[in-house]
Amino acid sequence: MTSLEAAGAPLRDARIVAGPVPGDSGAGIALASHGAVASFLGIVRDHSKGRAVAGLRYECYRPMAEKVLVQLIAETAGRFDPGMAAAVAHGTGEMVPGQAALSIHVASAHRAAAFDACRHLIERIKHDLPVWKLERYADGTQAWLKGS
Amino acid sequence: MTSLEAAGAPLRDARIVAGPVPGDSGAGIALASHGAVASFLGIVRDHSKGRAVAGLRYECYRPMAEKVLVQLIAETAGRFDPGMAAAVAHGTGEMVPGQAALSIHVASAHRAAAFDACRHLIERIKHDLPVWKLERYADGTQAWLKGS
Amino acid sequence: MPSATVLYFAGLRERVGCASEEVELPARATPAAILAALSDRHPACGEAFACCRIAVDCDFIVGEVDIRDGAEVAVIHPVSGG
Amino acid sequence: MPSATVLYFAGLRERVGCASEEVELPARATPAAILAALSDRHPACGEAFACCRIAVDCDFIVGEVDIRDGAEVAVIHPVSGG
């Protein structure tokens, strides 16, 4: 029995939630062998390309999005640390500036793998997660983003 | 008046706390112009160089540690993003595996600067913060770490 | 030919004018062939389809894929999550 | 010569045998000169001092520094925080 098995399998949590994602420190995902948790929060900004943003709407192809998140976590673990734990959540629906649309936590034995895995997950999510952003501007107009 | 001034100066919070550091998401430090929060938690592990660890004690030269944290945040902001917000806390005293000894949150307009600044802060803290770790092993012995 | 449910999202949904439609597709096809068939149905969207990926039953397709009757074929235009 | 309060921490404190002591130091000195003076007082710790940095009034010193009477001189051996 390895120490990993002794402590339980590392958490792999992927979820699409209604509204903004809940905020927590991510400390809860760490196994006893994990010394580092690297995290990322994507926050709705009040400006986009020079325009004042009043709010956003995220539209999601939910069954695929959940499947893609699970796959991206597995791919990331295979590349950076098979023993890592990860929790990823993406919000959907209406949000206002200051709310968090995406949260990623990665726990690993050492900080380099935790950071690299966290950053890799964001880049892959930005490329592959079937989620689209409608920006609502302060002047009353709105537009779908053309990729990100 | 820039949007930064309109929204208030970015938070720069540096503190040495008794016991482990409190856990939070870091979302609260983001200004309206910040789209990304990158975070790091240093967690007490249950093993160190193959030995089972029952607990730790962190000893700190507190007045200097607080001053160094403030300086490292200013240095990091100057290098990566003068508009970034940051909150850094390091714990002192007794801790057990699973507790967080260090938390770093950096908020910036974009994720690359937030990640780079967060990672830079850890490396500088590991090198310059006057804090020393006493490891208490499961076999009842203990030893001060020789640097990190 | 099998009949698949084709899905459109967000800006592409608005441009095509529907969120889903039933479309007869070849029993085995590449993403390019699927997008060409959809462009024939929606000539005004040909340019928008050019930068799209295809997912069948929630998996991105890179080569040829079998399309079963009732398959869910999603047209994934460039995403903007995160 | 000014009298400074010299501080030791953690493993170095245990090795030197005290957390602080009053030491007369030159009015202007480099870290190397300060560490040499402390090695004279604690010959068994010369090797441990070799990898130490010096902070005066909570600032790391890299070149020469003025030591005022009552200055706080900390001997910073390799740290292990984080």
Side-chain angles (χ1 to χ4, degrees):
Chain A
M1 190 169 70
T2 68
S3 66
L4 191 66
E5 286 164 336
L11 178 78
R12 303 281 169 84
D13 188 65
R15 60 185 67 195
I16 302 295
V17 304
V21 298
D24 70 274
S25 74
I29 74 168
L31 295 179
S33 56
H34 290 155
V37 180
S39 303
F40 177 80
L41 281 178
I43 311 271
V44 178
R45 295 196 297 157
D46 67 352
H47 279 73
S48 175
K49 300 189 176 77
R51 300 187 68 181
V53 170
L56 295 182
R57 179 156 64 88
Y58 280 104
E59 181 172 325
C60 178
Y61 177 24
R62 184 164 181 161
M64 181 171 173
E66 291 177 334
K67 191 173 185 179
V68 166
L69 281 185
V70 168
Q71 290 168 341
L72 293 183
I73 291 171
E75 167 198 303
T76 302
R79 177 158 167 182
F80 295 100
D81 174 12
M84 78 177 210
V88 182
H90 201 296
T92 60
E94 300 290 337
M95 291 180 215
V96 295
Q99 293 184 318
L102 168 66
S103 76
I104 301 175
H105 299 295
V106 176
S108 182
H110 299 288
R111 64 188 183 280
F115 266 107
D116 291 344
C118 187
R119 213 159 165 172
H120 180 76
L121 272 169
I122 299 167
E123 301 305 325
R124 297 290 285 114
I125 284 167
K126 291 246 172 205
H127 190 257
D128 275 4
L129 194 69
V131 172
W132 296 269
K133 188 191 320 196
L134 178 74
E135 287 185 342
R136 303 190 189 281
Y137 303 105
D139 63 10
T141 62
Q142 61 183 39
W144 290 102
L145 268 276
K146 311 277 186 218
S148 60
Chain B
M1 192 169 70
T2 68
S3 66
L4 191 65
E5 287 164 336
L11 178 78
R12 302 282 169 83
D13 188 65
R15 60 184 69 195
I16 302 295
V17 303
V21 298
D24 70 272
S25 74
I29 74 167
L31 295 179
S33 56
H34 290 153
V37 179
S39 304
F40 177 80
L41 282 178
I43 311 271
V44 178
R45 295 196 297 157
D46 68 351
H47 278 74
S48 174
K49 300 189 175 76
R51 300 188 69 181
V53 170
L56 295 183
R57 180 156 65 87
Y58 280 103
E59 181 171 325
C60 177
Y61 178 23
R62 183 162 181 161
M64 182 171 173
E66 291 177 334
K67 192 173 184 178
V68 166
L69 281 184
V70 168
Q71 290 167 339
L72 293 183
I73 291 172
E75 168 197 302
T76 302
R79 177 159 167 183
F80 296 100
D81 174 12
M84 78 177 210
V88 182
H90 200 297
T92 60
E94 299 291 336
M95 291 181 215
V96 296
Q99 292 184 318
L102 168 66
S103 76
I104 300 175
H105 298 295
V106 175
S108 182
H110 299 289
R111 64 189 185 277
F115 266 108
D116 290 345
C118 187
R119 214 159 165 172
H120 180 75
L121 273 169
I122 299 167
E123 302 305 326
R124 298 290 284 115
I125 284 167
K126 292 246 171 204
H127 189 258
D128 274 4
L129 194 69
V131 172
W132 296 269
K133 188 191 320 196
L134 178 74
E135 288 184 341
R136 304 190 189 281
Y137 303 106
D139 63 9
T141 63
Q142 62 184 40
W144 289 103
L145 268 276
K146 310 278 187 215
S148 60
Chain C
M1 296 211 294
S3 177
T5 302
V6 178
L7 306 180
Y8 307 100
F9 301 92
L12 185 63
R13 169 174 46 74
E14 294 178 356
R15 187 147 176 184
V16 172
C18 66
S20 74
E21 59 181 348
E22 300 301 309
V23 180
E24 290 197 343
L25 292 172
R28 190 160 175 79
T30 61
I34 293 168
L35 289 167
L38 297 175
S39 293
D40 288 344
R41 292 174 67 92
H42 305 283
C45 298
E47 193 178 340
F49 287 147
C51 60
C52 290
R53 289 182 284 176
I54 292 291
V56 174
D57 295 334
C58 295
D59 285 315
F60 281 117
I61 301 308
V62 288
E64 267 194 334
V65 65
D66 292 325
I67 311 270
R68 61 176 177 77
D69 208 55
E72 192 168 279
V73 175
V75 184
I76 308 291
H77 64 292
V79 302
S80 49
Chain D
M1 293 210 297
S3 176
T5 303
V6 177
L7 307 180
Y8 307 101
F9 300 93
L12 185 63
R13 169 174 45 74
E14 294 178 356
R15 188 146 177 183
V16 171
C18 66
S20 73
E21 59 181 350
E22 301 301 310
V23 182
E24 291 197 343
L25 292 170
R28 189 159 176 81
T30 61
I34 293 167
L35 290 167
L38 298 175
S39 294
D40 288 345
R41 292 173 68 92
H42 305 282
C45 298
E47 193 178 341
F49 287 147
C51 60
C52 290
R53 289 182 283 177
I54 292 291
V56 174
D57 296 333
C58 295
D59 284 315
F60 281 117
I61 302 306
V62 288
E64 268 194 334
V65 66
D66 292 325
I67 311 271
R68 61 177 176 77
D69 207 56
E72 192 168 278
V73 174
V75 184
I76 308 292
H77 65 290
V79 300
S80 50

